[in-house]
Structures are given as structure tokens and as C-alpha cells.
Amino acid sequence: MNGSKPLPRIAQFLQNISYGDAIGNNVLAIRDTLEKAGYDTEIFAETIDRRLEALGISGIRSVSEYNDDADILICHVSVGWDYMLTMNTLAGRKLFIWHNITPPHFSEEYGEARKASACEKGLKQVHAIRFTPSLCLADSSFNKADLERLGYLCPIHVLPILRAAEEPAAACDEALLSKYRDDGTVNILFTGRITPNKKQQDIIEAFYCYHRFYNPKSRLFLVGSGTSDPAYSKAIKEYPAAIGLDGVIFPGHVSDRQKAAYYSLADVFVCLSEHEGFCVPLLEAMQYRVPVIAYDSSAVAETMGDAGLLLKSKKPRVVAAAINRVMQDTQLRETLVANGQERLALFAPAKIAGKLLAEIAAFERYWKREKTIYFDVTVQRGIDRGTGVQRVEKEELRCFYKADGTYKTVPFYFDEDGRGLFECETGKQIQPHSGDIIYSADLSLKATAANTAWLDRYFRKDGVAVWFLAYDLIPIQFPETCTDKTVLVFSTWLHTAFRYSGIISISRATMQDIQNYLAAHPRLERNKNLRLTWSWIGCDFAGQAGPQKAEAAAPRQEADGPQQPVRLLMVSTVEPRKMYGQLVKAFSLLRGRNKPVRLDIVGREGWKVEETVALINDSPYLNSSLFWHKDGISDGELASLYQQADGVIVASRQEGFGLAVTEGAYYGKPLILRDIPVFREIAGDNAFYFSGYEPEALAAAMEQWIDLFRAGKAPSSAGIHLTTWQEHGEKLLAILTEKQSEKE
């Protein structure tokens, strides 16, 4: 740390801090670490366990004192919490620590409706505030992936839970030790709240098998409170008697000394939980040299490593046999204990504390960067529709966060009533300076135009660059395919964009359309130095494993059988210009001729498509050979559909780019494309093209392509140049920061 400059204040926030709780202990350990490093730090909680009041934890009402730009505010997220929704009213920079919220279905399955509702609400809240933090720390890679699924685009780094320095194992409750020690009984232990995702009933059933078939002189300790799920807790505590099982002990919530005693008594630790964001008890068992048996779910394997027996099945007899094996095989026990000691070293408090301080220091440096890119998320901040536009926006924002050390990225939104541009993180009006950049890929049409006075001030008075991304000019070129309102607000937005630094198009064809529009309207107000350029967008899927570019798909051989259906995929919003009506009718013609073809449509319902929607919904082939995935699917699910497809068809009469073209090529799929300029720009001779707007014309083209495909003669997409999102982001940043070499 640089002692010449004052360190920022750091405050931690959490909904509830409980005595002996893993997250509460994590919060206290973080405070100790920060204090030792010289930070002024404090903890705020809405509910404070009375046993912790002496530790100086503040109530949430005191938070108003923390409202300085230099403050760092750490929010621990593990439950739903209304206060989280107001975090963006505090001026400090936000860092979230994601401990995971249990999926609601666990509670629903066991009748805990109130708990399920709370979990569902919490997940919605976490999604709603996805643009509030500029950094997230996740306890595990499992948690990181979970947060990405919730829509978080800021950097997410894995930092295991920081625990307090280990107390000696001898600090145990002697009365408990005396009660159960050295009586010749095998002690099986699990610690954790009695809650549906922990699956204590599975442990009881496994213990039943072990107790009956292997060793009747055994007992099971299920240590943990059941107050959060009373119905489930009651059922679990009644379960042993219901199946005639003795030897199951429920100590409830225990003190640290009592917990240490149970670990000291344990011969084996068994975890059959189905949802863990980290699972601290695994490390606790290793600390007390207790061999571990655990079911492979969620973050369990990541935390445990090779320091235990990892089970792929938790059938009672499988688990019972594993317990017996650990108890009978001395060498195995010694190996597991030794591996546990090595594993513990990876999570040593001093090591994790060092990583935490490094994250804090890097976070400070990030906010000291001299220049800022303000990134528009006006529309996406309100609702994530999963459209192609929002896909582009998400990938670009990820790239911007990874930019070099000159610029920091700050998501902002336009006020709908023209009152300014506001940071998502702090709710404050942005304060750009000369050299900063305002960039919008959001198509926040109406809100952008409403704030021209602010954009004029920033651009003309403050020397701030203002850039826009253009996807197409379809509302102007094909107004009949859009609503009247869309045509009006799009025209206003485009005319607004002409006033500033530049417009980046997602294809050369779209840039040419803009140039032609300007040439046809010479009297439009525009910046005389307006720059027009283009950059192809990416085609890879974030977080998807596999090669950067798939090999070309092998043709379907006749040996597969003449009736083996050829699978075609079209991916795009269902709207008039996409020509889904022609495609579905052409597909129906082929099916009526007994042609073996399957069609998957991926796209939400758009506008002016009542007739097309009825055509799909009324099709006799729906859900047999025609499938409409209309409610939004994940990148992973979409990637799977691409992989399963034999060909990708794009029937649009006009596109600004055609993301499905390059995504299809990325997965090595042959392409069936309408013959329009932008598709020729992207695919060249590496696709099968068709023309005409009648169903018969498309049906004939599809039939021709199917014959070529079966004969192994369909044009391959292998020759298409593919741009990754990283490459697109790098080019985009080069354009915005004026570092791009003149290659165009």
C-alpha cells in the first residue's frame, strides 16, 4: 500500500449476520484483514445477532454516512434483500461478493412455499441490479458461472471464502467429548442448516443402510439449525423414527466449541448436498483430520478436490458402502486425511487474505484510471430481452471492461425525460471530461433523442467523443415492416447520431446504406467531421467450450436412411422482414410432399406478426417436426441447437449483418441464405443462395439444397472469415480511441 495517500473507506453490507454462520464469519474475517492493512472499515447489517453486538456491527440506518466517491462498498449477496435495490443511491464504488442464492425448486419440492418465494424474489433482485457493481467476487467457479447466467457483465473473479485463522482443535466442549468419546461407536457427521438443498434425508437413508447392513454400532450427528425451513426441519427430525432408525442425533445450532467437539468425535464426514456455492464444512472436516465422502454437485468437487471420496451416485447403498470402505481401509483413510491437509493449504486464511487485498488494490487502481468510456445500457438495464442487439451490447461491454489501463468503463442510462445521463453504479449524473467517450450500442432511441442538450454540451463544450453503433436502416428502408412509432423514433435517433463524433456499423453494407442516406439528404444537420466506419460483430459464444471454429459438418449419408430428417435451424426475432411466413409455408409444402425435414425456429415474437404466429401455432407439424423456441434460451442451449443442425437458413429480406450466418459458420454448418448484399459480403461463395418471396420458390430451393447436402455437394461454410467477440471489441476500442491503423 502507498502510505503517502489516504486509503479509501471500505464498508461491508449484508442482510443478516448470524453467530457461527459461514457468511457472517467471512464478513468478520474480511474486516480483520482490512483493518490490519490499514483501511477504515465497518460492517452494516439489517439484522444483527445479539451475540455479535459487541463486535461493533452497525445497523443499516447508519449507511447514509458512507456516501463519498472514494468509498468502496462491498455487498454480500446470499439472500433476497430489498436494500440491495437502493445500493445505486450511494456514491461509493460497488463490489459484490456472490455467495449464491439457493434455487427455489428445492424449497418448492418440500412445501416450503414461503422460502421458495423468498429465493425467487432474491434471484430477481440480483438480476435487477446487475449493472450496479463494477466488480464481483465469487466463492467458486460454480458461483461465477451462476452470476454470469444472471446477466452480470462486469469482471467476476473467483475468491474462495476467507475464514478466520484456525483455532486449535483442542478448543472443544469437553462435556460433549466425554459423552460420546471412546464408546466404540462409529460417528458419522454432517454440519449445515437443515434445509432442502442440503438433503439431510439422503444422509439418513444412507446411514440406515450402513447401520443395518454394515455396523449397527454407529450414530449420525446432523448438526445445524432448522429455523429457516421449519416444515422441512420437522419432517427430517421425524423421519428416523418413521423408518425405525435409532442413532440419529439433531444437536441444532451449536457454539464454536461444540462444533469443534463434533468434528473431533467424527470418524467420517458425509455431504450429500445438491447445491453448494462453496461448502465451508468440507474444509472444517479436513482441519479436524476427518475423512470426507461427498456427492458431486454444484461447487463440492471444486472445493474438495482429491481430499475426499467424490460420489457420482448417492443411492443409499452406494453411500453406505463408501462409508464402510473408509472405515475399513486404513490406508485410504490416511490418504484422504493427508490430501485434506494439502488441500487446506490452498485455502489458508493468510493466502486468501492476500488475494483479497490484491483485488481491493486492483479495484482502487481501476477507478484511478484517467479516462472513462461511458457505456449506454438504457434499454438493457430495464429488461433483458435476449435479442441480437442486446447480445452485441453484452459482448461489447465485457470487452470494454477488459480494456487496457487507460480507460475505465462506466455503464450509464439516459433519463427518459431528458434530465441527463446517469451512472448505473451510483445514480449520479455523469461528469465526463475531455478525452472521455460516450458510446451507445443500446438503441435507446427515444431516450437518446430526449437528451440531445446534454450530449451537445458534452460534445461541444467539454470535448467528449460521442459514438453510436448502427445495426441497420430497416425502419427507414422498409417502414412497412415496423410500427409507425418505431419508424419515427428511429429516424429521430439517426438524425441525432449524425450530430456527433461517429457511427460504427456492424457491416460494410450498413455503412454504405448510411452513406447513401446522407447523400440523399444533403440538408440534414450533421457534424462536418462525422466519421463513418464498420466492424463485423463476433460469432463465438461466451463461456462455451470447444474449438474457436468447428470443422465443416459431414454430409448426411444415404446409409443413415432416406427418411432420416434433415435438421434446419433459423435464429432471429419473429418479425415481418425475417420472412418466417414464407419459410413456414415452404416447410409445410415439403412436409406435405413427405420430404423428411425438421425446422427449429429460435426467436421471440416481435411485432406485426399475428398472421405468422397463427401460421406456426396452427401448423399440424408443430412440436413434431416444427419447433418454436420462443421464450428465450441460454447461449448453451442455442449452441446445442447449432451443433445438432444440418444446416442454418436465414430468409430475411434485409439485415444489417445476420448474426446467425457467422454463428452457423462457427459451428461448421452449411448455410442457406437469401441473396442480399450483406450475406454476400459475409459468406461470399461459401453458402447456398436463393431468391424469390413465394413459398414455392423457397420450397424448391430448400429441396435443391437437401439433395446437394445428401450428396455431399452443398457449399461449405468453412471458407468464411470469422470474427470473435474479442476481435470485434478490440477493433471497436481502437476506433473509439483513435488507435486504429488505416486498413480500410
Side-chain angles (χ1 to χ4, degrees), residues 97 118 132 284 307 325 340 523 598 636 689 703 712 716 737:
I97 297 182
T132 296
E284 293 174 342
R325 181 185 171 199
R523 295 187 179 182
R598 165 178 167 152
Y689 293 95
E703 190 168 7
S716 168
T737 58

Side-chain angles (χ1 to χ4, degrees), residues 643-677:
Q643 290 167 339
Q644 295 171 35
D646 292 314
V648 173
I649 185 167
V650 188
S652 305
R653 63 184 292 191
Q654 181 65 19
E655 287 284 356
F657 183 78
L659 187 56
V661 175
T662 51
E663 287 180 346
Y666 176 80
Y667 284 100
K669 302 302 177 180
L671 304 172
I672 310 161
L673 308 177
R674 188 177 299 279
D675 195 354
I676 58 176

Side-chain angles (χ1 to χ4, degrees), residues 196-227:
N197 62 289
K198 303 288 186 182
K199 296 295 181 181
Q200 279 91 348
Q201 77 272 23
D202 292 340
I203 302 176
I204 292 171
E205 290 170 0
F207 175 67
Y208 178 91
C209 285
Y210 177 76
H211 189 74
R212 180 178 178 184
F213 298 114
Y214 292 102
N215 185 1
K217 199 168 185 180
S218 55
R219 67 170 68 93
L220 171 63
F221 295 116
L222 292 175
V223 177
S225 170
T227 56

Side-chain angles (χ1 to χ4, degrees), residues 296-453:
D296 187 5
S297 73
S298 50
V300 169
E302 184 180 348
T303 300
M304 188 174 72
D306 63 352
L309 282 184
L310 188 66
L311 304 180
K312 298 298 183 180
S313 168
K314 58 173 177 171
K315 292 180 179 178
R317 293 194 179 217
V318 172
V319 181
I323 296 171
N324 186 61
R325 181 185 171 199
V326 169
M327 293 306 304
Q328 297 298 320
D329 190 336
T330 302
Q331 184 175 355
L332 175 61
R333 287 179 63 84
E334 292 175 351
T335 299
L336 294 180
V337 169
N339 290 350
Q341 298 309 296
E342 293 180 9
R343 190 72 181 165
L344 272 176
L346 299 176
F347 301 104
K351 186 170 186 175
I352 305 303
K355 291 182 178 181
L356 171 67
L357 293 175
E359 290 284 0
I360 296 293
F363 192 64
E364 290 183 62
R365 291 193 299 271
Y366 179 81
W367 284 106
K368 290 177 181 177
R369 292 183 181 182
E370 295 181 358
K371 297 180 180 180
T372 304
I373 297 176
Y374 292 97
F375 193 102
D376 177 17
V377 294
T378 303
V379 176
Q380 184 151 193
R381 172 177 172 266
I383 182 170
D384 183 354
R385 295 189 175 93
T387 62
V389 168
Q390 292 192 328
R391 169 89 185 279
V392 172
E393 184 181 350
K394 292 174 188 176
E395 298 294 352
E396 288 183 351
L397 183 52
R398 286 191 183 103
C399 292
F400 280 34
Y401 272 123
K402 298 175 184 176
D404 64 27
T406 303
Y407 289 86
K408 57 182 176 287
T409 298
V410 176
F412 80 91
Y413 60 94
F414 287 106
D415 177 75
E416 293 285 346
D417 297 320
R419 287 174 290 199
L421 289 64
F422 296 88
E423 292 184 7
C424 294
E425 187 163 6
T426 66
K428 297 190 309 180
Q429 178 86 281
I430 70 169
Q431 297 179 338
H433 303 92
S434 179
D436 289 345
I437 299 166
I438 295 173
Y439 172 72
S440 176
D442 192 64
L443 284 187
S444 46
L445 304 175
K446 183 179 177 181
T448 300
N451 286 277
T452 52

